[in-house]
Amino acid sequence: MLSSDRIRAALDKYGDMLLRNCVIMLRNQADAEDAVEDTFISYMQKAPQFTDSEHEKAWLIRVAANKCRDLLRYQKRHAAESDDVLQNYSIDRESTGILEALMELPEKYRLVLTLHYIDGYKVGEIADIADISSSAVKMRLARGRRLLEEKYRKGVIINDREEIKNCL
């Protein structure tokens, strides 16, 4: 069993990042909180030994992603989060459109895009975390960027049309 100080330090250091990743993957605040909680329960029970802080962070991300995948089976029981909640996780109001478009992508693209662009992981590190090949990560990044661009542009065009209609 781990000491409460070590658990608290890991929660303080990685908790917000894990919650953000889980909200992006699950699109549900309550499920995301459950996934992070389950991740730290596994952390306490397994008491893994890590070579360094990056190893610990990667382990926590991988466990959280697996918990999210488990919860995705039950996602149909819960409504998706409102735009107000999504705005809490964006850097500024203007980035909310990109976050909304990201949330509409399939989970496999959301995960690699989030790990790469938000958390700053390299392709090889994402491959280890997601347990897929580096070429699969590169392909998912390319396809994810293309899908994200399509969804974002579609949303911008629709919003512009609505604004024009409202002005008339």
Side-chain angles (χ1 to χ4, degrees):
M1 192 77 149
L2 295 173
S3 71
S4 61
D5 291 338
R6 183 173 166 196
I7 296 166
R8 184 165 294 130
L11 183 60
D12 290 343
K13 191 172 183 179
Y14 305 115
D16 290 339
M17 181 259 317
L18 291 173
L19 181 62
R20 182 187 62 237
N21 289 353
C22 290
V23 167
I24 289 171
M25 289 178 68
L26 296 170
R27 300 183 63 183
N28 184 289
Q29 179 78 25
D31 284 347
E33 291 170 357
D34 289 345
V36 172
E37 183 178 308
D38 290 345
T39 299
F40 278 99
I41 289 172
S42 294
Y43 183 72
M44 288 187 305
Q45 290 174 340
K46 296 186 190 294
Q49 297 298 316
F50 302 108
T51 56
D52 57 18
S53 63
E54 282 302 312
H55 182 210
E56 179 181 38
K57 182 179 178 181
W59 186 90
L60 288 166
I61 290 171
R62 181 179 221 156
V63 171
N66 289 337
K67 299 292 181 185
C68 289
R69 284 187 193 99
D70 292 342
L71 285 170
L72 281 171
R73 294 183 194 127
Y74 305 103
Q75 190 175 19
K76 291 182 181 179
R77 294 183 298 159
H78 304 287
E81 290 294 355
S82 68
D83 292 344
D84 297 333
V85 173
L86 294 177
Q87 289 175 355
N88 292 334
Y89 290 95
S90 65
I91 296 169
D92 55 37
R93 294 236 180 245
E94 293 174 3
S95 67
T96 304
I98 294 172
L99 185 59
E100 288 171 351
L102 178 65
M103 299 293 267
E104 293 177 14
L105 295 180
E107 184 267 335
K108 65 182 181 180
Y109 300 120
R110 284 195 313 259
L111 177 63
V112 296
L113 288 169
T114 301
L115 290 174
H116 185 70
Y117 290 107
I118 296 175
D119 296 325
Y121 280 97
K122 295 179 180 172
V123 170
E125 295 169 325
I126 296 170
D128 291 339
I129 291 169
D131 199 26
I132 57 177
S133 68
S134 293
S135 61
V137 171
K138 290 176 187 176
M139 185 61 68
R140 288 181 186 184
L141 282 170
R143 288 180 181 163
R145 282 189 294 261
R146 188 171 50 246
L147 288 170
L148 185 61
E149 181 181 11
E150 289 171 8
K151 290 192 178 289
Y152 182 71
R153 285 185 184 211
K154 183 178 178 182
V156 169
I157 291 169
I158 290 171
N159 288 338
D160 288 346
R161 287 181 187 161
E162 289 175 4
E163 287 178 19
I164 292 169
K165 287 180 184 176
N166 291 335
C167 292
L168 297 177

